[in-house]
Amino acid sequence: MDINKIACVGAGLIGSDWTTLFSSKGYKVILQDINKDILDNAVNVIHTNLIFHEKNNLLRSGEVEEALKRIELTTSLEHAVSDADYIQESVFDDLDLKHRVFKEIDAAAQDHAIIASSASGLLMTDIQKAATRPGRCVMVHPILPAHLIPLVEIGGGPDTLPKSIEIAGNFMKKLGKTIVVLKKEVPGYIVNRLQAAVLREAMDLVDKGVATAEDIDNAFCKGCGIRDPFIGPFLRAHLAGDNIERFFENYDQSYRYRFESMVTWTCFPPSAIKAVVKDVNKMHMVVNKSIDELKAWRNDKLVKMLAMTNNKN
Ligand SMILES: NC(=O)c1ccc[n+]([C@@H]2O[C@H](COP(=O)([O-])OP(=O)(O)OC[C@H]3O[C@@H](n4cnc5c(N)ncnc54)[C@H](O)[C@@H]3O)[C@@H](O)[C@H]2O)c1
């Protein structure tokens, strides 16, 4: 199926990132949100993103204005989606809201249109209940900043047609994304589950007084993070043991000690929140840079690293 026209529903962080990506790749996009102020703010964000792309040779000189011209803004959901081949929904992660929005999109969209959700905390099993044609509803989960990070996680609920997953996956690949298609639905998909495991342990280390938040971030970035762009946990284990079988034989006891001393809590403990908030607000980068400066600094680092790993998007 050819995808020519795109609608982005929701113009917050993720909707703006998607619109940056689609418009920079030459697609016409209709961006929708509930009021004009939000849309105007989104356009400023998208403009800044596109200038960043141009500066970093992800867009040719002069293409920023062309990309911006491909974006239409609207507060009408029906107008946004009625002519689209691919709809990317990025409203708040709230099931009632997703149901309302999916119901409206489903009623107004063309029969062949794919309806993708960016949702991170909800399952497609639940979201697609609002649609009369749930077969075309797909989870297409980006990672922030979505206009730069290569990975997109794709999945479906029990009623999603394999064809819809295939179309969404092929479209993402055409945009230069690396896709991982989940064989089963799980809350948080893959990336957010891995991040949650690391965050829980990092918070507990601060709470236990083992190290400061700044030292833990440093240990992560200079210890695991520096290697992680090209080696995942399994390849790391394979190398650490000289082969994967030997890794499990050699490290069985040492990992048992670690696992036995690690926490398994399922909601943030107040003591850990208090300790982390206090520490993070003292971090050198947090004291010296605003949120916008931190985002710009992160994007700058990210684009250099992507160029090194030969994966621009
Ligand atoms: N922020 C992240 O890191 C991240 C990463 C991946 C996926 N996501 C997912 O993307 C989705 C959006 O997250 P976000 O961070 O962009 O949130 P956000 O709060 O920045 O933006 C949500 C937008 O939805 C709009 N909205 C609310 N009701 C609407 C309606 N009826 N019609 C149209 N627009 C409506 C809001 O006005 C707002 O602009 C969520 O499902 C979230 O889980 C977020």
Side-chain angles (χ1 to χ4, degrees), residues 12-14 32-33 38 90-93 98 118-120 141-142 144:
L13 274 175
I14 291 294
Q32 184 269 350
D33 209 302
I38 296 173
S90 312
V91 303
F92 304 126
D93 238 10
K98 297 272 190 205
S118 306
S120 8
H141 180 247
L144 198 72

Side-chain angles (χ1 to χ4, degrees), residues 157-176:
D159 297 326
T160 304
L161 293 170
K163 186 80 192 154
S164 304
I165 291 185
E166 190 189 319
I167 293 169
N170 286 341
F171 179 48
M172 287 297 130
K173 283 197 248 174
K174 201 171 165 192
L175 293 166

Side-chain angles (χ1 to χ4, degrees), residues 13-15 17-18 21-22 86 88-90 98 116-120 139-154 172 177-178 188-189 191-192 195:
L13 274 175
I14 291 294
D17 274 12
W18 278 123
L21 179 72
F22 297 139
Y86 179 89
Q88 184 76 43
E89 168 278 315
S90 312
K98 297 272 190 205
S117 177
S118 306
S120 8
M139 200 63 93
V140 176
H141 180 247
I143 316 295
L144 198 72
H147 59 104
L148 293 176
I149 297 271
L151 188 81
V152 173
E153 296 170 303
I154 299 185
M172 287 297 130
K177 292 289 190 193
T178 301
Y189 320 112
V191 173
N192 283 346
Q195 291 187 147

